[in-house]
Amino acid sequence: MIRTEAISKSFGKLNVLRELSVQLEAGRVVAVIGPNGSGKTTFIKTLLGMVIPDRGRVLFNNQTITKQHTYRSQIGYMPQIGHYPVNLKIKQLFEMMIDIRKDATMQLDEDLVAAFQLKALFEKPLGTLSGGTKQKVSAALAFLFNPSVLILDEPTAGLDPLSSEVLKKKIQKEYQKGKLILITSHVMSDLDELATDVLYLQDGSVQFYKTITELKLETGESKLGRVIAQLMSKIPQMS
Amino acid sequence: MKMTIKYKTRIGEIRHRFIRVNPCLICVNLCAIVFALALNLQAKMWKVTPTQNLKQVIIQANAHDTLLIQKGLYRTENIIIDKPLTLIGQHYPVLDIQFKNEIFTVKSSDVIIKGIEFRNVGMTSMIDWAAIKVLEASNVRIVNNRIRNCYFGIYLSASDHCLVQGNDIEGNPKEEQNTGNGIHAWKCDSILIQRNHTQGHRDGIYFEFVTNSTIQHNDSQGNIRYGLHFMFSHNNGYFYNHFHRNGAGVAVMYTKFVTMKHNVFEQNWGGAAYGLLLKDISDSHIEHNIFKTNTVGVYMEGCSRSVFTKNQFIENGYALRVQANCDDNSLTYSNFCGNTFDVATNGEVVLNHVSHNYWDKYEGYDLNRDGIGDVPFRPVSLYATVIERIPQAMMLLRSFTVSLLDRIEKIIPTLTPEGMKDEKPLLKPLKL
Amino acid sequence: MNKITKYVLYDIIRNRFVMGYTLLLLVIGMSFFSFESDPNKGLLSLLNIILMVVPLVSIIFSTIHFYNSYEFIELMSAQPMSRKAIFLSEYMGVATSLSLAFLVGVGLPTLAFGGGESSLILIMSGFLLTLSFVSLAFLASVITRDKAKGIGLALVIWFYFSLVYDGLVLSILFSFNDYPLEKAMLLLTALNPTDLARIMVLMKMDISALMGFTGAVFQDFFSTNYGLLVAIFILMGWVVLPITIASQIFQRKDL
């Protein structure tokens, strides 16, 4: 569904992505993990067209995304921290997004709006919301347009346990529908529950990209946290 | 007969008024009155109607006769008046010469022309055709006439003791070369010009070599060059005149002992317009005048020993532009309000006495509360100095940079002329 | 494109700073016209404020707003919209709100008390000046990612056009005093939006008579409808050019 072909990106002298090639297929939940500064955020931003790679290309359904924007109608993106215009009401933010993204035939997916009871807050300006509520808004917006790809950057960070569960259920439900879901998270237990594959990045290139089952077999561990810890200790640290 | 007597009395009145103005003539005039009364019996009264030929009537008339010109249109040719006649229009008869010549050429003294409308005097390059031209005569009185669309209006040449009063002169302004003056006086002495209105001529009032004369209560506006223009005309007084919206304002040149009081100079606005242009003027008094909304209120060049006092300079581009060759003038007790530049000069102005003026740009203080500021005021701003040297810098007018420069200069004066400052600036405007 | 603009506008209009700016202009405008008996003098005093305050507020507010909206712009760029549309919508939103503030704050009192052609030119040039400095602000904002640097750059731009530029012009005049510089002045004026706006208004206020030969050259140019149109056109160039460059940079930029 999404393929990157040897993408490289450097910011100044810092090589953030090095010839990164990866194939992401529909019907998978891919956990993108790696140490700080390994290029996770840049990788995700490259998929979204926010960062333009120096070399290599990103293909979405076998179409290059260079200078394209329509492919993003099939992506729901949930940023790590949502910053919204402070004087705008939640309702207006939703109206705006619907204005931008909805076409006549589309069925809106308001599961999360309902589950997070956002309708009750619709008249509140975004500037007055707590971090958690903003996360709920971001999550609801990412799922609202029923996209075939979901990119979730630290989705559960800042959410209370209950809401966190709601969101995880939703992610699983969407996975059932055969969507491609990319998650970055530091919470290994969450990823253990949700992910089917692990994409491990180190210094801007793929260290390994395997299914969780494979990894567990390889390492003999039953918990993803342990699996990763064991693997990381074997990887020589480059800098 | 009854009517004639009545008229003679009125003429006597006019004469009386005139005597007051020119006391030196009392004897001559008394004799004239006695003589006139003696002639009274012979003097004839003519009633002229538009069907008659005015020129013929004037030729037939005897000296001291009175012509009552009735209302109507007279298509006339040039008429030479070479004997003392009294011409009185009744309800403004119209004399139209259809651009062929001038209308009245007065070559005799003691002529009275009153209440007539003159029209359409043509333009020539050789002779200055006028509605009324007076040549080498004295005691001619031109009163309450209307002059329309004439090359020159009233033209006095080498004449004396004449009265020009209450005339309404409106020209049809073309280019400067093709338009004559409203009231033009050349080489005259002791004339009185008052309560006239001149408009749409080259110069409203023009004097050259005119002496001992008075110009008062005139209104001169919308002339293409100067409202008032005089040269080499010494010892004249100008009072209560109003000069406005003239192409270049008022110009006064090469003259001594001028007195200008209570005049208003306003709205002379244009690239080369002045409220009052003074060039080579000395020993003169400029008092109680108002200079308002002119490009330059007063422009002085080669001006010396003159007194400027109790004048008001309001909302001019420059209130005063003083060339460096001016000396020994005094500028006192005047108000400067709302001028873009108060004073500009092209050099070090020295030997001019400036004090006790009110400047609205003054920001000093008065600790002893005597109404006089404790620090001197420098009316020449840095920017004005810069512009004198580099006129193109005018494009920065009202920019932030310029206001900042002026402010710095006010705090630490370095470039503005040291000689030009008011040591005793007033804190409140004078009531003038 | 106007899908976002509408909401950006809605957000900024309820911004306290913009409300304060509108109010400030309104108070200044009203007081100038009520203190001065002559509306033309009111206009002139107002002109000085417009040339100082309007560019400063426009450029600083827009720059700060851009950096504060950075994450929102990021989020928008994850949506199916082109970068250009996002950027220009942001611009439209900010420019419209600041223009509205100007038109209410200065336009209303000017039209109420002043009227006439010079008032219209004053409003028009203040309006274009607002658009132009918002445009410059967006350019400053896309040049650097660092907020402090961006605001610094915006201040430098303002300082340059309001003060330094005229100082440079003055020194050019001093150095090339002997050459006929009138035509060059015309060109130099065109290269600074604040100068252009100022001259446009001054010319309509009949102050040109004061400006001597330079004034005459300017008058010849600006008094004709053609000249005025050219001036407005150049001022519009000062709106379009920076935002176009900024948009180009933004489209190639990593967020």
Side-chain angles (χ1 to χ4, degrees):
Chain A
M1 188 146 210
I2 300 176
R3 192 166 80 238
T4 67
E5 292 178 348
I7 51 171
S8 297
K9 181 72 191 177
S10 56
F11 295 118
K13 281 178 186 163
L14 192 68
N15 295 316
V16 188
L17 298 179
R18 300 168 197 247
E19 311 252 317
L20 195 150
S21 298
V22 70
Q23 172 94 23
L24 304 164
E25 290 301 343
R28 312 297 298 176
V29 179
V30 182
V32 183
I33 50 182
N36 295 329
S38 58
K40 295 189 301 264
T41 308
T42 309
F43 173 65
I44 285 177
K45 283 187 168 183
T46 311
L47 300 185
L48 287 163
M50 289 182 200
V51 170
I52 298 150
D54 301 332
R55 285 184 306 281
R57 54 183 190 154
V58 180
L59 299 169
F60 191 92
N61 287 337
N62 295 320
Q63 299 283 315
T64 177
I65 66 160
T66 314
K67 290 183 179 163
Q68 297 298 315
H69 60 267
T70 41
Y71 76 96
R72 292 199 287 262
S73 63
Q74 298 180 56
I75 301 177
Y77 170 60
M78 179 181 172
Q80 196 168 2
I81 306 160
H83 286 275
Y84 301 104
V86 288
N87 295 313
L88 219 55
K89 293 171 185 168
I90 299 181
K91 188 177 158 193
Q92 290 170 320
L93 181 68
F94 275 79
E95 279 170 4
M96 181 178 77
M97 285 299 195
I98 290 166
D99 261 0
I100 296 169
R101 294 190 66 150
K102 191 175 182 316
D103 58 44
T105 56
M106 188 185 283
Q107 191 70 40
L108 289 181
D109 177 356
E110 292 190 318
D111 283 4
L112 286 179
V113 179
F116 291 142
Q117 296 174 320
L118 290 176
K119 282 253 158 70
L121 305 170
F122 254 30
E123 293 302 323
K124 278 202 166 183
L126 287 152
T128 64
L129 301 183
S130 71
T133 316
K134 277 187 195 165
Q135 278 299 90
K136 290 179 191 170
V137 170
S138 302
L141 282 175
F143 288 88
L144 189 63
F145 302 96
N146 221 344
S148 53
V149 177
L150 284 157
I151 298 178
L152 312 172
D153 199 354
E154 299 283 350
T156 55
L159 285 182
D160 59 80
L162 198 67
S163 308
S164 197
E165 283 311 309
V166 169
L167 181 57
K168 281 190 269 182
K169 280 226 177 68
K170 180 66 186 166
I171 294 170
Q172 273 161 343
K173 187 177 163 193
E174 294 306 302
Y175 160 64
Q176 301 296 331
K177 290 182 191 166
K179 294 185 175 179
L180 168 62
I181 299 167
L182 268 95
I183 306 175
T184 70
S185 181
H186 288 99
V187 189
M188 288 304 147
S189 58
D190 284 352
L191 293 176
D192 214 353
E193 281 176 61
L194 298 168
T196 58
D197 305 84
V198 172
L199 174 63
Y200 191 94
L201 298 181
Q202 172 102 28
D203 296 310
S205 44
V206 183
Q207 199 62 43
F208 56 84
Y209 177 33
K210 289 173 178 163
T211 64
I212 290 211
T213 349
E214 252 182 294
L215 286 171
K216 284 182 179 170
L217 273 173
E218 263 178 41
T219 53
E221 298 281 352
S222 62
K223 286 207 166 118
L224 184 62
R226 306 283 309 165
V227 173
I228 300 301
Q230 201 191 87
L231 287 169
M232 276 177 79
S233 61
K234 291 179 188 165
I235 298 164
Q237 293 291 320
M238 292 175 22
S239 56
Chain B
M1 201 59 209
K2 221 176 176 179
M3 239 175 139
T4 320
I5 292 161
K6 196 178 157 197
Y7 252 90
K8 283 294 159 196
T9 349
R10 277 181 69 179
I11 292 156
E13 278 170 24
I14 297 166
R15 196 163 285 175
H16 262 294
R17 237 184 284 157
F18 200 40
I19 286 163
R20 261 180 276 145
V21 186
N22 298 281
C24 57
L25 281 179
I26 285 175
C27 291
V28 181
N29 272 290
L30 276 175
C31 292
I33 290 166
V34 171
F35 187 61
L37 284 172
L39 284 171
N40 208 4
L41 294 171
Q42 285 95 43
K44 198 181 164 194
M45 170 109 101
W46 305 73
K47 198 170 187 175
V48 189
T49 60
T51 50
Q52 288 170 276
N53 185 329
L54 180 62
K55 185 171 183 176
Q56 284 307 315
V57 180
I58 286 172
I59 291 169
Q60 283 165 23
N62 293 313
H64 306 292
D65 279 2
T66 299
L67 275 72
L68 295 180
I69 304 169
Q70 303 299 303
K71 190 178 178 179
L73 177 67
Y74 298 79
R75 291 192 194 282
T76 177
E77 47 194 309
N78 174 238
I79 298 170
I80 294 169
I81 301 168
D82 51 4
K83 54 204 156 196
L85 286 177
T86 300
L87 303 167
I88 295 168
Q90 298 200 308
H91 307 289
Y92 287 103
V94 174
L95 272 53
D96 187 342
I97 196 154
Q98 295 155 292
F99 306 104
K100 285 184 298 215
N101 207 318
E102 64 185 6
I103 301 176
F104 282 170
T105 311
V106 179
K107 292 184 171 171
S108 159
S109 299
D110 303 308
V111 171
I112 297 169
I113 299 167
K114 190 178 173 188
I116 301 172
E117 179 166 335
F118 298 84
R119 272 192 199 165
N120 302 336
V121 169
M123 197 272 291
T124 49
S125 49
M126 299 292 289
I127 315 157
D128 293 335
W129 282 345
I132 303 167
K133 185 180 280 172
V134 180
L135 297 170
E136 295 174 34
S138 62
N139 200 24
V140 172
R141 266 159 274 158
I142 301 166
V143 182
N144 295 348
N145 298 289
R146 269 190 214 143
I147 299 175
R148 295 286 181 272
N149 202 18
C150 293
Y151 181 42
F152 276 73
I154 296 166
Y155 193 117
L156 308 176
S157 173
S159 300
D160 60 88
H161 298 94
C162 292
L163 170 72
V164 177
Q165 177 184 299
N167 299 289
D168 180 13
I169 306 169
E170 274 182 35
N172 181 17
K174 293 178 273 284
E175 301 99 68
E176 205 173 289
Q177 315 88 277
N178 303 339
T179 311
N181 301 322
I183 298 170
H184 181 103
W186 183 77
K187 229 178 147 182
C188 293
D189 184 67
S190 304
I191 57 174
L192 173 61
I193 313 272
Q194 61 182 5
R195 296 196 163 78
N196 299 288
H197 169 85
T198 56
Q199 188 177 345
H201 277 274
R202 181 172 61 199
D203 293 341
I205 302 170
Y206 177 92
F207 281 7
E208 197 173 348
F209 307 111
V210 174
T211 47
N212 305 314
S213 296
T214 302
I215 296 84
Q216 58 190 11
H217 296 287
N218 296 289
D219 178 65
S220 178
Q221 61 163 307
N223 297 293
I224 51 185
R225 198 168 65 182
Y226 298 115
L228 166 71
H229 183 192
F230 64 88
M231 291 182 287
F232 312 106
S233 295
H234 310 306
N235 296 307
N236 293 327
Y238 303 82
F239 312 104
Y240 298 100
N241 298 293
H242 191 193
F243 304 104
H244 54 130
R245 294 204 305 277
N246 294 298
V250 168
V252 178
M253 300 189 251
Y254 316 110
T255 298
K256 290 181 280 194
F257 305 107
V258 183
T259 308
M260 300 187 107
K261 290 184 180 174
H262 299 283
N263 300 291
V264 177
F265 305 80
E266 63 180 342
Q267 291 177 306
N268 299 296
W269 196 258
Y274 312 93
L276 177 60
L277 165 71
L278 300 171
K279 187 174 164 58
D280 290 306
I281 299 297
S282 59
D283 304 291
S284 295
H285 280 260
I286 317 284
E287 286 180 35
H288 277 115
N289 300 291
I290 296 172
F291 301 91
K292 195 177 174 190
T293 54
N294 305 290
T295 312
V296 179
V298 177
Y299 181 89
M300 294 160 70
E301 197 181 313
C303 220
S304 53
R305 296 189 301 280
S306 291
V307 175
F308 296 81
T309 187
K310 294 175 183 136
N311 296 296
Q312 302 201 57
F313 297 88
I314 303 162
E315 291 166 19
N316 301 290
Y318 296 86
L320 281 170
R321 269 188 97 157
V322 186
Q323 297 300 100
N325 56 0
C326 296
D327 64 343
D328 210 9
N329 301 293
S330 82
L331 174 66
T332 54
Y333 298 99
S334 295
N335 285 336
F336 289 81
C337 301
N339 303 297
T340 306
F341 302 104
D342 285 329
V343 180
T345 175
N346 63 346
E348 279 287 320
V349 178
V350 283
L351 298 169
N352 286 310
H353 172 67
V354 182
S355 81
H356 291 95
N357 298 291
Y358 169 76
W359 312 88
D360 66 344
K361 294 183 182 64
Y362 183 59
E363 287 171 349
Y365 45 83
D366 177 20
L367 289 182
N368 58 357
R369 301 197 173 247
D370 60 353
I372 294 167
D374 298 345
V375 285
F377 177 72
R378 292 159 181 274
V380 184
S381 70
L382 174 63
Y383 182 44
T385 313
V386 169
I387 286 169
E388 285 300 321
R389 282 167 61 183
I390 311 163
Q392 294 96 329
M394 192 56 107
M395 80 155 264
L396 299 175
L397 184 69
R398 287 188 178 274
S399 67
F400 181 42
T401 313
V402 160
S403 355
L404 200 70
L405 282 179
D406 273 349
R407 199 140 282 277
I408 295 169
E409 177 71 14
K410 256 184 194 159
I411 302 165
I412 332 157
T414 47
L415 286 173
T416 49
E418 188 61 25
M420 189 75 196
K421 63 184 171 185
D422 191 336
E423 294 285 356
K424 292 178 175 172
L426 303 181
L427 285 168
K428 280 187 184 149
L430 291 147
K431 288 189 178 70
L432 295 172
Chain C
M1 184 166 116
N2 47 20
K3 287 171 186 168
I4 302 186
T5 304
K6 193 167 104 194
Y7 297 98
V8 172
L9 191 61
Y10 188 88
D11 177 47
I12 300 180
I13 282 178
R14 296 175 30 163
N15 183 305
R16 258 186 238 139
F17 182 85
V18 174
M19 281 192 255
Y21 173 57
T22 315
L23 219 61
L24 173 82
L25 288 178
L26 204 59
V27 168
I28 291 173
M30 296 297 254
S31 55
F32 276 168
F33 281 111
S34 44
F35 287 147
E36 301 283 4
S37 49
D38 179 7
N40 250 346
K41 282 189 75 186
L43 279 186
L44 276 179
S45 318
L46 204 53
L47 175 67
N48 288 354
I49 295 298
I50 288 172
L51 293 175
M52 276 274 292
V53 174
V54 167
L56 181 65
V57 169
S58 300
I59 201 166
I60 294 299
F61 174 80
S62 306
T63 311
I64 294 177
H65 183 268
F66 188 90
Y67 283 106
N68 286 351
S69 309
Y70 209 90
E71 286 86 357
F72 177 66
I73 292 170
E74 254 181 15
L75 180 67
M76 284 300 110
S77 69
Q79 309 304 322
M81 280 187 86
S82 70
R83 287 268 186 103
K84 193 174 166 185
I86 296 163
F87 191 68
L88 293 182
S89 312
E90 268 293 320
Y91 174 75
M92 292 296 283
V94 177
T96 312
S97 55
L98 287 178
S99 304
L100 276 177
F102 173 79
L103 291 177
V104 171
V106 171
L108 284 187
T110 308
L111 286 182
F113 293 96
E117 206 186 359
S118 48
S119 305
L120 287 179
I121 293 288
L122 181 88
I123 295 169
M124 156 92 90
S125 46
F127 170 65
L128 287 176
L129 219 49
T130 304
L131 295 186
S132 156
F133 275 84
V134 174
S135 189
L136 288 165
F138 272 63
L139 181 59
S141 307
V142 295
I143 284 174
T144 166
R145 176 71 180 87
D146 185 64
K147 186 174 176 177
K149 271 191 204 160
I151 294 171
L153 186 59
L155 266 176
V156 167
I157 291 174
W158 172 78
F159 197 68
Y160 173 76
F161 283 128
S162 313
L163 199 70
V164 178
Y165 186 85
D166 288 348
L168 288 177
V169 167
L170 207 56
S171 54
I172 289 173
L173 284 173
F174 264 107
S175 342
F176 300 98
N177 199 1
D178 303 328
Y179 300 89
L181 283 173
E182 281 73 21
K183 293 268 163 64
M185 283 295 106
L186 213 53
L187 184 71
L188 285 177
T189 306
L191 295 180
N192 181 347
T194 33
D195 275 354
L196 197 58
R198 179 172 52 79
I199 298 279
M200 251 166 72
V201 176
L202 288 187
M203 285 299 148
K204 278 294 164 229
M205 285 187 175
D206 202 21
I207 211 154
S208 57
L210 197 60
M211 299 174 74
F213 186 61
T214 314
V217 171
F218 277 64
Q219 185 69 30
D220 272 356
F221 183 75
F222 285 98
S223 64
T224 59
N225 282 336
Y226 166 77
L228 200 63
L229 277 178
V230 170
I232 291 172
F233 190 73
I234 295 173
L235 214 47
M236 282 177 174
W238 275 105
V239 178
V240 174
L241 196 68
I243 195 67
T244 311
I245 297 170
S247 171
Q248 291 298 324
I249 295 174
F250 181 77
Q251 283 174 59
R252 278 187 237 113
K253 195 176 154 73
D254 299 314
L255 296 174

